[in-house]
């Protein structure tokens, strides 16, 4: 379990590839979610961004976690666009800063990186929990990860708890009235639709959790 309990660059890169694969599979669903309360581009935007990340495999896959996270951030910043591009860019950039140049992260280091990412999104987007944004997925996810960590959980357990909480958080955005982003233009009419950015956040975290649960490649 020891090697499985640290996240090195090779393993993080596999997580990034899984994020790209899951976003690709679910891009139509993300775009459909963005139709009634946005402009119907979220799945397209994010898929374009993650495909651009995959194209940097050669440069990024052999790097330490911080450098990979920074590469993901810069690529998403320059390719995703919309509101979510800069927000995801900030999220991964803050994660990168928290990871520093350590060759690997343990569960505690990863949770600190997620905390930093969430703080960055809140600063940049000014959204609070309940505003019907990606913050509604990341806030319970970070809380659940912190809790599982305190209970002695390792990487895989912490990420599994985070993914489940993010999924529940994304579903809980359905009745909310949007107060940030494009969906807020609809006012009360934004209620009754699940937020696309909260949904993609849960997809990203679930992708990480899947890879963490698999045996590390030797
Ligand atoms: P756009 O709304 O510009 O078309 P996207 O469709 O790519 O951008 O992303 C929309 C998602 O971005 C929303 O579902 C929401 O989760 C997230 N979002 C928008 N504004 C904010 C904000 N201020 N803070 C946090 N997340 C936000
Ligand atoms: Mg949109």
């Amino acid at each position: 379990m020891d090697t499985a309990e640290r996240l090195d660059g090779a393993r993080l890169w596999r997580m990034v590839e899984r994020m790209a694969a899951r976003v690709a599979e679910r891009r139509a669903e993300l775009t459909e979610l963005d139709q009634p309360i946005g402009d119907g581009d979220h799945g397209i935007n994010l898929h374009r961004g993650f495909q651009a990340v995959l194209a940097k495999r050669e440069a990024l896959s052999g790097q330490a976690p911080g450098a990979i996270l920074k590469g993901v951030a810069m690529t998403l910043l320059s390719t995703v666009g919309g509101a979510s591009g800069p927000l995801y860019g900030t999220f991964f950039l803050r994660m990168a800063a928290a990871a520093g140049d350590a060759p690997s992260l343990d569960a505690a280091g990863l949770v600190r990186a997620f905390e930093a990412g969430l703080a960055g999104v809140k600063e940049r987007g000014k959204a609070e929990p309940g505003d019907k944004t990606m913050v509604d997925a990341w806030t319970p996810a970070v809380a659940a990860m912190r809790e599982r960590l305190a209970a002695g959980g390792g990487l895989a357990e912490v990420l599994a708890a985070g993914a489940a909480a993010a999924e529940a958080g994304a579903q809980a955005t359905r009745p909310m009235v949007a107060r940030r982003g494009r969906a807020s233009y609809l006012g009360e009419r934004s209620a009754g639709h699940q937020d696309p950015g909260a949904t993609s956040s849960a997809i990203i975290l679930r992708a990480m959790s899947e890879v963490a649960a698999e045996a590390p490649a030797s």
Side-chain angles (χ1 to χ4, degrees), residues 34 37-43 45-46 80-85 87-88 121-122 124-128 132-135 180-183 194-201:
D34 196 33
I37 56 169
D39 54 357
D41 63 355
H42 187 60
N45 289 348
L46 209 53
V80 174
S84 65
L87 290 166
Y88 271 126
V121 165
K122 289 175 76 176
R124 177 135 194 176
K126 311 272 182 256
E128 287 297 326
K132 198 181 181 92
T133 71
M134 61 174 72
V135 168
R180 291 285 169 191
R182 206 179 275 281
Q194 186 168 320
D195 181 63
T199 308
S200 60
S201 297

Coordinates of all heavy atoms in Angstrom, one line a residue, residues 34 37-43 45-46 80-85 87-88 121-122 124-128 132-135 180-183 194-201, ligand 1:
D34 N -25.6 22.7 -20.0 CA -25.3 24.1 -20.2 C -26.4 24.8 -21.2 O -26.3 26.0 -21.4 CB -23.9 24.3 -20.8 CG -23.4 25.7 -20.6 OD1 -23.7 26.4 -19.7 OD2 -22.6 26.1 -21.5
I37 N -29.5 26.6 -19.0 CA -29.1 27.7 -18.1 C -27.8 28.4 -18.6 O -27.2 29.2 -17.8 CB -28.9 27.2 -16.6 CG1 -27.9 26.1 -16.5 CG2 -30.3 26.8 -16.1 CD1 -27.6 25.7 -15.1
G38 N -27.3 28.1 -19.7 CA -26.1 28.8 -20.2 C -26.2 28.9 -21.7 O -27.3 29.2 -22.3
D39 N -25.1 28.7 -22.4 CA -25.0 28.9 -23.8 C -24.6 27.6 -24.5 O -24.3 27.6 -25.7 CB -24.0 30.0 -24.2 CG -22.7 29.8 -23.6 OD1 -22.5 28.8 -22.8 OD2 -21.8 30.6 -23.9
G40 N -24.7 26.5 -23.8 CA -24.5 25.2 -24.4 C -23.1 24.9 -24.9 O -23.0 24.2 -25.9
D41 N -22.1 25.4 -24.2 CA -20.8 25.1 -24.7 C -19.9 24.5 -23.7 O -18.7 24.2 -24.0 CB -20.1 26.4 -25.2 CG -19.9 27.5 -24.1 OD1 -20.4 27.2 -23.0 OD2 -19.3 28.5 -24.3
H42 N -20.4 24.2 -22.5 CA -19.4 23.7 -21.5 C -18.7 22.4 -21.8 O -17.5 22.3 -21.7 CB -20.1 23.6 -20.1 CG -19.2 23.3 -19.0 ND1 -18.2 24.1 -18.7 CD2 -19.1 22.2 -18.2 CE1 -17.5 23.6 -17.6 NE2 -18.1 22.5 -17.3
G43 N -19.4 21.4 -22.4 CA -18.8 20.2 -22.7 C -17.8 20.4 -23.9 O -16.7 19.8 -23.8
N45 N -16.2 23.2 -24.6 CA -15.1 23.9 -24.1 C -14.1 23.1 -23.4 O -12.9 23.1 -23.6 CB -15.6 25.0 -23.1 CG -16.3 26.1 -23.8 OD1 -16.4 26.3 -25.0 ND2 -17.0 27.0 -23.0
L46 N -14.6 22.3 -22.5 CA -13.8 21.5 -21.6 C -13.1 20.4 -22.4 O -11.9 20.0 -22.1 CB -14.6 21.0 -20.4 CG -13.8 20.7 -19.1 CD1 -13.1 22.0 -18.7 CD2 -14.8 20.3 -18.0
V80 N -9.8 26.7 -23.0 CA -11.2 26.4 -22.7 C -12.1 27.6 -22.9 O -13.2 27.5 -23.5 CB -11.3 25.9 -21.2 CG1 -12.8 25.8 -20.8 CG2 -10.6 24.6 -21.0
G81 N -11.7 28.8 -22.5 CA -12.5 30.0 -22.7 C -13.7 30.0 -21.8 O -13.8 29.3 -20.8
G82 N -14.6 30.9 -22.0 CA -15.8 31.1 -21.2 C -15.4 31.4 -19.8 O -14.3 31.9 -19.5
A83 N -16.4 31.2 -18.9 CA -16.1 31.5 -17.5 C -15.3 30.3 -16.9 O -14.4 30.6 -16.0 CB -17.5 31.5 -16.7
S84 N -15.5 29.1 -17.4 CA -14.9 28.0 -16.7 C -13.4 27.8 -17.0 O -12.7 27.3 -16.2 CB -15.6 26.7 -17.0 OG -15.5 26.4 -18.4
G85 N -13.0 28.4 -18.2 CA -11.5 28.2 -18.5 C -10.6 28.9 -17.5 O -9.8 28.3 -16.9
L87 N -11.4 29.8 -14.5 CA -11.7 29.2 -13.2 C -10.9 27.9 -13.0 O -10.3 27.7 -12.0 CB -13.2 29.1 -12.9 CG -13.9 30.4 -12.8 CD1 -15.4 30.3 -12.9 CD2 -13.5 31.1 -11.4
Y88 N -11.1 27.0 -14.0 CA -10.3 25.8 -13.9 C -8.8 26.0 -14.0 O -8.0 25.4 -13.4 CB -10.7 24.8 -15.0 CG -11.9 23.9 -14.6 CD1 -13.0 23.8 -15.4 CD2 -11.8 23.1 -13.5 CE1 -14.1 23.0 -15.1 CE2 -12.9 22.3 -13.1 CZ -14.0 22.2 -13.9 OH -15.0 21.4 -13.6
V121 N -10.5 29.5 -6.8 CA -11.7 29.6 -7.6 C -12.7 30.6 -6.9 O -13.3 31.5 -7.6 CB -12.4 28.3 -7.8 CG1 -13.9 28.4 -8.2 CG2 -11.6 27.4 -8.8
K122 N -12.8 30.5 -5.6 CA -13.7 31.4 -4.9 C -13.2 32.9 -5.0 O -14.0 33.8 -5.1 CB -13.8 31.0 -3.4 CG -14.6 29.7 -3.3 CD -14.6 29.1 -1.9 CE -15.6 29.9 -1.0 NZ -15.6 29.3 0.4
R124 N -11.3 34.2 -7.4 CA -11.4 34.6 -8.7 C -12.9 34.8 -9.2 O -13.2 35.8 -9.8 CB -10.7 33.7 -9.7 CG -10.8 34.0 -11.1 CD -9.5 33.9 -11.8 NE -9.6 34.6 -13.1 CZ -8.6 34.7 -13.9 NH1 -7.4 34.2 -13.6 NH2 -8.7 35.3 -15.1
G125 N -13.8 33.9 -8.8 CA -15.1 33.9 -9.3 C -16.1 34.5 -8.3 O -17.3 34.8 -8.7
K126 N -15.7 34.8 -7.1 CA -16.5 35.4 -6.1 C -17.8 34.6 -5.8 O -18.8 35.1 -5.3 CB -16.9 36.8 -6.4 CG -15.8 37.7 -6.9 CD -15.1 38.4 -5.7 CE -14.0 39.3 -6.1 NZ -12.7 38.8 -5.8
A127 N -17.8 33.3 -6.1 CA -19.0 32.5 -5.8 C -18.8 31.8 -4.4 O -17.7 31.5 -4.0 CB -19.2 31.4 -6.8
E128 N -19.9 31.7 -3.7 CA -19.9 31.0 -2.4 C -20.8 29.8 -2.6 O -21.6 29.7 -3.6 CB -20.5 32.0 -1.4 CG -19.6 33.1 -0.9 CD -18.3 32.6 -0.3 OE1 -18.4 31.6 0.4 OE2 -17.3 33.2 -0.5
K132 N -24.8 28.0 -7.0 CA -25.0 27.2 -8.2 C -23.9 27.2 -9.2 O -24.0 27.6 -10.3 CB -26.3 27.6 -8.9 CG -26.9 26.5 -9.9 CD -28.2 27.0 -10.5 CE -28.8 26.0 -11.5 NZ -29.8 25.2 -10.8
T133 N -22.7 26.9 -8.7 CA -21.5 26.9 -9.5 C -20.6 25.7 -9.1 O -21.0 24.9 -8.2 CB -20.6 28.1 -9.3 OG1 -20.0 28.1 -8.0 CG2 -21.4 29.4 -9.5
M134 N -19.5 25.6 -9.8 CA -18.5 24.5 -9.4 C -18.1 24.5 -8.0 O -17.7 23.5 -7.4 CB -17.3 24.6 -10.3 CG -16.5 25.8 -10.3 SD -15.0 25.7 -11.3 CE -15.6 25.8 -12.9
V135 N -18.2 25.7 -7.3 CA -17.9 25.8 -5.9 C -18.8 24.8 -5.1 O -18.4 24.3 -4.0 CB -18.1 27.3 -5.4 CG1 -18.1 27.4 -3.9 CG2 -17.0 28.1 -6.0
R180 N -24.2 33.4 -9.8 CA -22.9 33.8 -10.5 C -23.0 33.2 -11.9 O -23.6 32.2 -12.1 CB -21.7 33.2 -9.7 CG -21.5 33.9 -8.4 CD -20.8 35.2 -8.5 NE -20.8 35.9 -7.3 CZ -20.5 37.2 -7.1 NH1 -20.2 37.9 -8.2 NH2 -20.6 37.8 -6.0
G181 N -22.2 33.8 -12.7 CA -22.0 33.2 -14.1 C -23.3 33.5 -14.9 O -24.2 34.2 -14.5
R182 N -23.2 33.0 -16.1 CA -24.2 33.2 -17.2 C -25.6 32.8 -16.7 O -26.6 33.4 -17.0 CB -23.8 32.4 -18.4 CG -24.3 32.8 -19.7 CD -23.8 31.9 -20.8 NE -22.5 32.2 -21.2 CZ -22.2 33.2 -22.1 NH1 -23.1 33.9 -22.6 NH2 -21.0 33.4 -22.4
A183 N -25.7 31.7 -15.9 CA -27.0 31.1 -15.4 C -27.7 32.1 -14.6 O -28.9 32.1 -14.5 CB -26.8 29.8 -14.7
Q194 N -29.4 21.1 -13.2 CA -28.1 20.9 -12.6 C -27.0 21.7 -13.2 O -26.9 21.8 -14.4 CB -27.8 19.4 -12.7 CG -26.5 19.0 -11.9 CD -26.4 17.5 -11.7 OE1 -27.3 16.8 -11.5 NE2 -25.1 17.0 -11.8
D195 N -26.1 22.2 -12.4 CA -25.1 23.1 -12.9 C -24.0 22.3 -13.7 O -23.4 21.4 -13.2 CB -24.4 23.9 -11.8 CG -23.3 24.8 -12.3 OD1 -23.7 25.7 -13.0 OD2 -22.1 24.6 -12.0
P196 N -23.7 22.8 -14.9 CA -22.7 22.1 -15.7 C -21.3 22.1 -15.1 O -20.6 21.0 -15.1 CB -22.7 22.8 -17.1 CG -23.5 24.0 -16.9 CD -24.4 23.8 -15.7
G197 N -20.8 23.2 -14.6 CA -19.5 23.3 -14.0 C -19.3 22.4 -12.7 O -18.3 21.8 -12.5
A198 N -20.4 22.4 -11.9 CA -20.3 21.5 -10.8 C -20.3 20.0 -11.2 O -19.6 19.2 -10.6 CB -21.6 21.7 -9.9
T199 N -21.0 19.7 -12.3 CA -21.0 18.4 -12.8 C -19.6 18.0 -13.4 O -19.1 16.9 -13.1 CB -22.1 18.3 -13.9 OG1 -23.3 18.7 -13.4 CG2 -22.2 16.8 -14.4
S200 N -19.0 18.9 -14.1 CA -17.7 18.6 -14.7 C -16.6 18.5 -13.6 O -15.7 17.7 -13.7 CB -17.2 19.6 -15.8 OG -17.2 20.9 -15.2
S201 N -16.8 19.2 -12.5 CA -15.9 19.1 -11.4 C -16.0 17.7 -10.8 O -14.9 17.1 -10.4 CB -16.2 20.2 -10.3 OG -16.0 21.5 -10.9
Ligands
LIG1 P1 -19.7 30.2 -19.9 O1 -20.8 30.3 -18.8 O2 -18.9 31.4 -20.0 O3 -20.3 29.7 -21.2 P2 -18.8 27.5 -19.4 O4 -20.1 27.1 -20.0 O5 -17.6 26.8 -19.9 O6 -18.7 29.1 -19.4 O7 -18.9 27.2 -17.8 C1 -20.1 27.4 -17.1 C2 -19.8 27.0 -15.6 O8 -18.8 27.8 -15.0 C3 -21.0 27.1 -14.7 O9 -21.8 25.9 -14.8 C4 -20.4 27.3 -13.3 O10 -20.2 26.0 -12.7 C5 -19.0 27.9 -13.6 N1 -19.0 29.3 -13.2 C6 -19.5 30.4 -13.9 N2 -19.2 31.5 -13.2 C7 -18.6 31.1 -12.0 C8 -18.1 31.8 -10.9 N3 -18.2 33.1 -10.8 N4 -17.6 31.1 -9.9 C9 -17.5 29.7 -10.0 N5 -17.9 29.0 -11.1 C10 -18.5 29.7 -12.0

